[in-house]
Amino acid sequence: MELSTLDYTFIIVFFSLVLGIGFYVSKTSGKNSSEFFLSGRTMPWWLLGLSMVATTFSTDTPNLVTDIVRTNGVSGNWVWWCFLITGMLTVFVYAKLWRKSNVNTDLEFYEMRYGGKPASFLRKFRAVYLGVIFNVITMSAVTLAAIKIGSIMLGLEPWQTVVSAGLITVTFSALGGFKGVVYTDFLLFFVAMAGAIGAAYYLVNIPEVGGIEALMANENVASKLNILPDFSNRKALITLFIIPLAVQWWSSWYPGAEPGGGGYIAQRMLAAKDENHAIGATFFFNIMHYALRPWPWILVALASIVVYPDLASIQEAFPNVTADKLGHDLAYSAMLTKLPSGLLGVVLASLVAAYMSTISTQLNWGSSYIVFDFYKQQINPNASEKRLVAVGRISTVVLMVFSAALALLLQNALQLFDILLAFGAGTGLIFILRWFWWRINAWSEITAMFASGIISIILKLTPVGAYLFATETGVLPDWSEYIFIVVVTTIIWLAATLMTQPESNDTLRSFYTKIQPGGPGWSKVVSDAKTDKVEIVKDKEKWSVPAGITAMLLGVVLIYTIMFATGYWIYGRTTQAIVLTVVSAIAGVLLVKAWNRLKGNIL
């Protein structure tokens, strides 16, 4: 495939703008570690919200959605749509708590909530575990998608894609810090959305597909259209719908969808001007992420079924693709090769934008863990601000190198998604309850982390997993593997919690005084403090969590109905679309009232 001069112009201008932003903010970003990682905590809600959306729009996301749609149909997306529930919980319950904590990273929370050597160990270990290991794995999935796009669309070797895409990204990330990431995300968001929407509109109308009506009527596509899974198919119902909605959203830690907030979402909440801006940013993110953004990718995925009905057709069209990189996720890149000059340049720029926004965020977030939670804690507690910024920039480069190397060994995005879900299974409930139940301690998190990791390794990488959960011959159904990990991990960490000593009164009272979490889960701590004539309750208002959960449920209804109504309008199913549009409007009105009662007008 040949790029025209117009295509190259779009891409060169885009790269120049991104690098220009990095150089422009490099001086202010390098002043101190707070500027480099949190931009001085001065960011408005709309800029942080756009940054969250841009960050989660990575090159592997349309590939992942395409893989899911081609394999399990549109309803297969419930494996990530379910995370809207925890997203709304973060908006209406946890966003203000994170901003009130005023920590530099979400891992610093550990030595606020817990005490002693276990808390110190947990903070430093998770800095490496999440900031390096999990972070590198996540970035490698994004880089793998870039490799596939480069291979299909430009005929590049994997190492060529890694070097060219990674070099610019790591340069502006190391120079601009968090401010550079957020400012470029503003640009990247609009470029990425324009490319995704433009590609979907054009590709649905190419002669091979024949337009939206022909696409909906195609025999290979018709069975893939349902937003809800086939309720008569027990396995599909359990795997694609019941487990995600009943268990997965609260039980599993997953980057960008952590129960109770965390990771780079927490980083943006911590960078907000105040609690109201933190809430506004996360709510805006969830609307854009779930209600509006998936459909351009879904449409391209459905169109790809018409043009490339199976892997053999992809292999035939692109014989240069190696066997170890061949998968259904390639279909998205394959469809993009049919774009005309000009639009092709915009779409390529949008994919580069998606790659850069995600990688730059992961790099800055991961290096913040290394700097604040490992280097400063373990190696050099007295490090100057200049030294901390220097270590942040060095770790940014090192993380990029590691993730690029791992990407060369992987095959597809869905494979990695399943592994990350398994490793986080059973830990999510702790992240939800640790704010509101005094009895959870550092050992709860330590045992959960190791239990889920060890169990996942045994099931994924040894014959035990194949024996128990193989599709055809396993002792147990293959869909029960995730449930097994959740149940066993939860039993282990609950046992560890009850068998170990609770945190000290000083630690618990200090945490309550600062955060004011409220609720029955802290009644013993509050009662004991009163007995000892220690005043820890500052907020005399009614506990806000029940009102927050009401707002959360209304937010879930609002966003799901907008998402499904959009799909039915596209499908041409007018009756369902009208009903869902009306329901979304009602939910929106009720949510505004609930939100005003809960927090007031945050904007």
Side-chain angles (χ1 to χ4, degrees), residues 36 170 173-174 363-364 367 391-400:
F36 191 79
V170 78
S173 299
L363 290 172
N364 187 264
S367 62
V391 173
R393 285 173 168 158
I394 293 170
S395 60
T396 296
V397 175
V398 172
L399 288 171
M400 186 73 240

Side-chain angles (χ1 to χ4, degrees), residues 165-212:
L167 190 59
I168 294 177
T169 307
V170 78
T171 298
F172 87 78
S173 299
L175 287 174
F178 183 74
K179 184 178 289 184
V181 170
V182 173
Y183 284 3
T184 52
D185 277 349
F186 180 79
L187 169 66
L188 300 176
F189 167 78
F190 291 103
V191 174
M193 287 303 298
I197 294 171
Y201 180 82
Y202 182 86
L203 293 171
V204 165
N205 290 288
I206 61 176
E208 297 98 307
V209 179
I212 191 69

Side-chain angles (χ1 to χ4, degrees), residues 180-502:
V181 170
V182 173
Y183 284 3
T184 52
D185 277 349
F186 180 79
L187 169 66
L188 300 176
F189 167 78
F190 291 103
V191 174
M193 287 303 298
I197 294 171
Y201 180 82
Y202 182 86
L203 293 171
V204 165
N205 290 288
I206 61 176
E208 297 98 307
V209 179
I212 191 69
E213 293 183 3
L215 176 64
M216 297 296 109
N218 185 278
E219 61 180 357
N220 291 330
V221 172
S223 62
K224 305 285 187 180
L225 293 175
N226 290 334
I227 294 174
L228 296 176
D230 181 1
F231 280 42
S232 65
N233 185 335
R234 181 171 173 268
K235 178 182 176 181
L237 180 64
I238 293 174
T239 306
L240 303 179
F241 191 70
I242 293 177
I243 290 178
L245 279 180
V247 181
Q248 185 177 298
W249 71 268
W250 58 262
S251 65
S252 186
W253 184 98
Y254 185 78
E258 300 87 346
Y264 51 77
I265 299 298
Q267 184 188 31
R268 279 152 179 74
M269 291 188 285
L270 293 169
K273 288 182 178 181
D274 53 37
E275 298 167 28
N276 291 342
H277 280 269
I279 294 170
T282 49
F283 184 57
F284 179 75
F285 158 66
N286 278 279
I287 291 177
M288 296 300 297
H289 182 58
Y290 293 99
L292 302 177
R293 195 170 57 181
W295 286 105
W297 303 331
I298 291 173
L299 285 173
V300 174
L302 292 171
S304 77
I305 298 173
V306 178
V307 181
Y308 304 105
D310 51 33
L311 291 181
S313 58
I314 298 176
Q315 180 73 80
E316 182 180 355
F318 303 95
N320 62 314
V321 175
T322 58
D324 65 321
K325 302 300 183 190
L326 183 65
H328 284 292
D329 55 342
L330 275 177
Y332 190 83
S333 305
M335 291 296 292
L336 297 184
T337 62
K338 298 183 176 296
L339 295 175
S341 175
L343 181 56
L344 177 60
V346 172
V347 171
L348 273 175
S350 76
L351 292 172
V352 174
Y355 173 83
M356 295 174 72
S357 63
T358 301
I359 292 294
S360 60
T361 288
Q362 297 284 155
L363 290 172
N364 187 264
W365 164 62
S367 62
S368 74
Y369 281 4
I370 294 171
V371 169
F372 288 123
D373 304 302
F374 185 78
Y375 178 80
K376 190 175 181 180
Q377 293 295 112
Q378 183 72 25
I379 299 174
N380 190 357
N382 300 315
S384 65
E385 289 297 317
K386 185 177 180 180
R387 174 60 64 86
L388 293 177
V389 172
V391 173
R393 285 173 168 158
I394 293 170
S395 60
T396 296
V397 175
V398 172
L399 288 171
M400 186 73 240
V401 172
F402 283 166
S403 65
L406 179 59
L408 298 173
L409 304 175
L410 296 172
Q411 183 173 358
N412 66 69
L414 189 56
Q415 164 194 19
L416 209 53
F417 180 84
D418 291 338
I419 291 173
L420 289 175
L421 276 183
F423 267 75
T427 63
L429 191 59
I430 292 179
F431 303 130
I432 292 175
L433 294 180
R434 64 187 181 182
W435 296 87
F436 298 110
W437 185 27
W438 71 278
R439 191 61 180 82
I440 288 180
N441 58 30
W443 289 110
S444 308
E445 296 211 28
I446 292 171
T447 52
M449 178 176 58
F450 281 102
S452 65
I454 292 170
I455 295 169
S456 298
I457 290 172
I458 291 173
L459 296 183
K460 294 289 185 182
L461 302 179
T462 70
V464 174
Y467 171 73
L468 291 176
F469 303 104
T471 304
E472 300 293 338
T473 60
V475 175
L476 300 171
D478 61 311
W479 52 260
S480 63
E481 180 182 49
Y482 180 83
I483 297 293
F484 179 84
I485 299 173
V486 169
V487 170
V488 174
T489 299
T490 302
I491 291 173
I492 290 173
W493 74 254
L494 277 173
T497 301
L498 299 176
M499 292 170 62
T500 54
Q501 290 295 317

Side-chain angles (χ1 to χ4, degrees), residues 42-294:
T42 59
M43 288 289 178
W45 67 270
W46 57 270
L47 190 55
L48 290 172
L50 283 174
S51 178
M52 292 180 189
V53 181
T55 291
T56 51
F57 184 174
S58 58
T59 43
D60 68 320
T61 313
N63 288 20
L64 173 65
V65 170
T66 300
D67 200 342
I68 290 171
V69 171
R70 288 172 63 90
T71 305
N72 296 314
V74 174
S75 63
N77 286 285
W78 281 102
V79 298
W80 67 275
W81 284 344
C82 68
F83 287 125
L84 169 65
I85 302 174
T86 192
M88 286 291 96
L89 196 62
T90 297
V91 171
F92 295 110
V93 176
Y94 293 102
K96 67 175 184 177
L97 300 177
W98 277 113
R99 188 60 187 85
K100 284 169 70 174
S101 72
N102 209 39
V103 294
N104 289 305
T105 70
D106 57 319
L107 297 189
E108 189 178 328
F109 168 88
Y110 289 127
E111 291 190 287
M112 176 190 297
R113 174 63 177 82
Y114 312 126
K117 292 182 178 180
S120 178
F121 166 79
L122 183 60
R123 179 180 179 183
K124 287 178 281 196
F125 183 83
R126 283 187 74 83
V128 176
Y129 182 67
L130 297 181
V132 178
I133 299 173
F134 256 72
N135 196 22
V136 164
I137 292 173
T138 303
M139 287 192 294
S140 67
V142 179
T143 304
L144 172 65
I147 289 172
K148 293 192 174 190
I149 291 169
S151 174
I152 289 288
M153 300 188 70
L154 301 174
L156 297 177
E157 293 292 329
W159 70 268
Q160 293 174 317
T161 302
V162 167
V163 171
S164 57
L167 190 59
I168 294 177
T169 307
V170 78
T171 298
F172 87 78
S173 299
L175 287 174
F178 183 74
K179 184 178 289 184
V181 170
V182 173
Y183 284 3
T184 52
D185 277 349
F186 180 79
L187 169 66
L188 300 176
F189 167 78
F190 291 103
V191 174
M193 287 303 298
I197 294 171
Y201 180 82
Y202 182 86
L203 293 171
V204 165
N205 290 288
I206 61 176
E208 297 98 307
V209 179
I212 191 69
E213 293 183 3
L215 176 64
M216 297 296 109
N218 185 278
E219 61 180 357
N220 291 330
V221 172
S223 62
K224 305 285 187 180
L225 293 175
N226 290 334
I227 294 174
L228 296 176
D230 181 1
F231 280 42
S232 65
N233 185 335
R234 181 171 173 268
K235 178 182 176 181
L237 180 64
I238 293 174
T239 306
L240 303 179
F241 191 70
I242 293 177
I243 290 178
L245 279 180
V247 181
Q248 185 177 298
W249 71 268
W250 58 262
S251 65
S252 186
W253 184 98
Y254 185 78
E258 300 87 346
Y264 51 77
I265 299 298
Q267 184 188 31
R268 279 152 179 74
M269 291 188 285
L270 293 169
K273 288 182 178 181
D274 53 37
E275 298 167 28
N276 291 342
H277 280 269
I279 294 170
T282 49
F283 184 57
F284 179 75
F285 158 66
N286 278 279
I287 291 177
M288 296 300 297
H289 182 58
Y290 293 99
L292 302 177
R293 195 170 57 181

